[in-house]
Each structure stands twice: as C-alpha cells, then as structure tokens.
C-alpha cells in the first residue's frame, strides 16, 4: 500500500513528504479545475514551499514531493503529473534569443514526446487511466451527446428554451452543452492545423473554420459565447495551439500562423489522430494501417521534438 494511505488515522506518523504532497495535490487539482493550464516549475516550487510552511515540516526536496504527488494522483484519481519538454525553437517569438544551451540537440534525430518527470520546467496533469473498451466508450459518448442533439431543432440550438427542459436542470444542460461544443471546436481547430502540415496562416485557418459554420467575422459562437479571436486566444493560452507572429524586415507587415502546442502533443497523440480518422471515415483496421503513413506525412513535424 502506498505512503499516501499509510497510517491515515495517526497524522503524527505520516511521512512529511506525504503531508506536503497531499496539500500540493489539492492545490494542483483546484488550479486545473479552474484554469486547466500548464504549471511552471517556479509555481510548483512556490506551492511546495508554502505547503511545507503550512504543514510545519521543514524543507522537503522537490523530487521527493513530485514522486509522492504521482503516487497520490495515480492511486486515487488515475492522473499523472507529466514533465513537459521545452517549447520548440519554432514556437518561440521572433526577436528573442532562442538558444537554450542545448544547440547540439538540433542536429540530433527527431524524437517523439518524452516525459521529463521532475527535471522539467513545466508540467501538465493528464488522465492516465486506460481507454475503456470500444463498446463502453461508444455508450458513454452517446449518453453525453444524446441530450445535446435533442436540443437542436431545425438546425437551431434550443437549449435556452425552458419549455423543452427535461429531467436535467437548465444549468446542468447548458454547462454540458458548453463543454461538448468547446471540445468539438478544439478538435476541429487542432485537426485543421495538423493537416496543414502543422503550419497554417491565420487567414487560412479562418477560411477552413468558416466551412464548418464557425463565424470568424467578430460574431459570437453560439453556446460557448466566444468570438473567433477569443477562442483562438483561449486555445493558445492552454497550449493546444501556438501562435507565431513574424514581422517583415521593414516592420510594416505582420504574419500570424499557428502550430499545435505541447498540450496537444500529450493529450492528442498520433494514435488518437489515427483513431479519429478511422472513426470519421468509417475505416476498418486494415484500411487504417494503409492510411497511417499518409497521415504522418500530412501532419509534418507536429509530433517530433528536435
């Protein structure tokens, strides 16, 4: 049995790293629920320091608390605190010194994502539970989407109409609908960026999203109540995508483009992309294996780290 459950009835015998890790875990979960943002090492270090003071434990090493955090997250929640790799030089803003002291890595062979664990400078909390069986997964999906689809009448969302309310409260319906639509919009944006060889101009992104009926002219997107610009800023802040701004040498013209961010690399890997294509195109396993190489070519360097 893990330390996080050892002698719970007697706090005096709980290891100090466990006391600190429990408090830090609560703060991380609260932050993730509220913001769903990437956690910097500096912020995590400060949180650990504050927890040590609150628990009166004295100093506890960062690595020890990190390891205990993952014991707690894994045993209780099925989560994992994962150490992210530094941003690619391609994702850094022009004009800044992009040298990290590891320039020799640029000549190395491209690699897939690697968990840097406690050595990382930024972290993300992810779901580490195995995927449910396909039939059960489809059941869960249908239970989530059915109430939403029932509120689309004549191609118009009627979720705000109390006259069609079911056993769910209006608040729960709207919050569920908002989450579903935001997930759908995020998936569409990520897919468009990926299949543009992981490098798309903002004008091109706007054109593609307009084909899906997403307003890009300043009008607010129904249900999520965001404009196109607000949606893109949200996805950029959460690092699902990365905004790249470049100016011409004379400084008169600015070009804005997008690549996928580190969160997408972690939460929506190649296997997830292939599964999405398989589902949307109705492919059997044999057909999926045949298009795998084409998909890898289409997404460019999206899933490589140099």
């Amino acid at each position: 049995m893990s330390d996080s459950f050892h002698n719970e009835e007697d706090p005096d015998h709980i290891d100090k790293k466990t006391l600190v890790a429990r408090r830090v875990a609560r703060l991380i979960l609260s932050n993730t629920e509220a913001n769903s943002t990437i956690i910097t090492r500096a912020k995590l270090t400060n949180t650990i320091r504050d927890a040590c003071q609150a628990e009166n434990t004295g100093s506890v090493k960062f690595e020890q608390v990190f390891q205990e955090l993952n014991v707690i997250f894994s045993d209780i929640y099925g989560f994992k605190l994962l150490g992210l790799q530094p941003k690619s030089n391609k994702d850094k803003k022009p004009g800044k010194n992009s040298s990290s002291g590891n320039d020799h890595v640029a000549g190395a062979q491209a690699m897939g994502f690697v968990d840097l664990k406690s050595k990382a400078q930024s972290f993300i909390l992810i779901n580490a539970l195995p995927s449910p069986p396909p039939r059960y997964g489809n059941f869960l999906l249908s239970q989530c989407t059915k109430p939403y689809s029932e509120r689309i009448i004549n191609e118009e969302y009627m979720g705000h109409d109390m006259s069609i309310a079911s056993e769910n409260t209006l608040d729960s319906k709207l919050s569920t609908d908002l989450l579903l639509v935001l997930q759908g919009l995020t998936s569409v944006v990520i897919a468009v960026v990926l299949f543009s060889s992981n490098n798309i101009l903002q004008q091109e992104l706007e054109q593609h999203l307009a084909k899906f009926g997403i307003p890009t002219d300043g009008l607010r997107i129904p249900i999520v109540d965001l404009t196109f610009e607000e949606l893109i800023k949200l996805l950029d802040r959460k690092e699902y995508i990365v905004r790249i701004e470049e100016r011409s040498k004379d400084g008169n013209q600015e070009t804005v483009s997008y690549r996928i961010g580190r969160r997408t690399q972690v939460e929506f890997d190649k296997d997830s992309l292939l599964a999405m294509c398989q589902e949307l195109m109705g492919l059997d396993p044999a057909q999926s294996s045949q298009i795998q190489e084409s998909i890898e070519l289409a997404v460019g360097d999206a899933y490589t780290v140099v």
Side-chain angles (χ1 to χ4, degrees):
M1 187 173 291
S2 69
D3 288 345
S4 57
F5 295 102
H6 180 64
N7 269 338
E8 264 190 336
E9 295 80 6
D10 188 358
D12 292 336
H13 289 84
I14 298 177
D15 189 280
K16 64 179 184 179
K17 71 176 184 295
T18 303
L19 283 172
V20 172
R22 287 178 177 178
R23 181 176 288 270
V24 174
R26 291 194 292 269
L27 293 171
I28 290 175
L29 290 169
S30 175
N31 178 75
T32 302
E33 178 69 21
N35 302 309
S36 187
T37 54
I38 288 171
I39 306 165
T40 64
R41 186 183 187 89
K43 184 172 184 178
L44 185 55
T45 299
N46 290 337
T47 302
I48 292 173
R49 182 198 60 205
D50 294 343
C52 289
Q53 293 176 350
E55 297 291 348
N56 195 27
T57 61
S59 178
V60 183
K61 290 183 178 180
F62 182 95
E63 185 171 355
Q64 290 179 333
V65 177
F66 183 85
Q67 292 174 350
E68 187 65 19
L69 278 171
N70 268 326
V71 171
I72 294 172
F73 285 140
S74 176
D75 286 357
I76 301 176
Y77 304 103
F79 293 159
K80 180 178 181 180
L81 190 61
L82 186 145
L84 292 171
Q85 294 165 332
K87 286 186 178 181
S88 165
N89 287 341
K90 294 180 180 179
D91 297 341
K92 295 181 180 178
K93 306 298 182 185
K96 292 184 179 181
N97 184 0
S98 61
S99 175
S100 62
N102 293 316
D103 292 341
H104 63 282
V105 177
Q109 182 179 5
M111 299 173 58
F113 181 85
V114 177
D115 180 6
L116 297 184
K117 302 182 180 179
S118 63
K119 304 298 183 183
Q121 295 300 312
S122 53
F123 306 88
I124 183 174
L125 192 65
I126 64 170
N127 183 352
L129 292 174
S131 299
R135 291 182 64 182
Y136 182 63
N138 290 335
F139 169 75
L140 292 178
L141 180 62
S142 67
Q143 293 302 300
C144 290
T145 58
K146 184 179 178 181
Y148 169 72
S149 62
E150 289 175 346
R151 292 191 283 276
I152 304 296
I153 300 176
N154 295 327
E155 299 185 356
E156 183 177 356
Y157 176 72
M158 304 295 292
H160 297 277
D161 188 348
M162 286 295 292
S163 66
I164 63 171
S166 62
E167 66 277 3
N168 295 319
T169 66
L170 180 64
D171 179 69
S172 67
K173 286 195 305 180
L174 293 180
S175 61
T176 300
D177 291 354
L178 187 149
L179 180 61
L180 286 171
V181 174
L182 190 56
Q183 289 175 338
L185 291 169
T186 302
S187 299
V188 170
V189 172
I190 288 174
V192 169
V193 175
L194 281 171
F195 285 110
S196 299
S197 297
N198 193 35
N199 188 5
I200 186 170
L201 294 173
Q202 176 156 326
Q203 301 94 310
E204 296 173 339
L205 179 59
E206 291 177 3
Q207 292 170 4
H208 285 296
L209 295 185
K211 295 176 183 178
F212 287 90
I214 300 172
T216 59
D217 55 359
L219 294 177
R220 306 192 78 78
I221 303 170
I223 305 177
V224 295
D225 194 32
L226 296 171
T227 65
F228 166 78
E229 287 290 343
E230 290 170 341
L231 172 66
I232 295 302
K233 286 180 180 179
L234 176 66
L235 298 183
D236 182 25
R237 178 167 59 84
K238 293 180 179 295
E239 290 203 40
Y240 282 111
I241 59 175
V242 178
R243 177 186 175 99
I244 310 295
E245 300 174 359
E246 296 179 302
R247 283 196 173 275
S248 59
K249 291 183 178 180
D250 58 13
N252 293 326
Q253 185 175 359
E254 180 183 70
T255 301
V256 177
S257 61
Y258 296 93
R259 300 169 56 84
I260 65 165
R262 293 179 295 177
R263 183 183 289 272
T264 296
Q265 290 178 322
V266 175
E267 296 183 357
F268 194 70
D269 57 15
K270 281 185 182 180
D271 290 338
S272 300
L273 178 61
L274 180 61
M276 183 190 75
C277 294
Q278 182 177 353
E279 180 72 22
L280 293 177
M281 300 171 68
L283 305 177
D284 58 37
Q287 292 172 318
S288 298
S289 62
Q290 292 175 0
I291 69 165
Q292 186 168 357
E293 184 176 351
S294 298
I295 290 176
E296 291 186 358
L297 291 173
V299 301
D301 61 355
Y303 293 103
T304 59
V305 179
V306 295

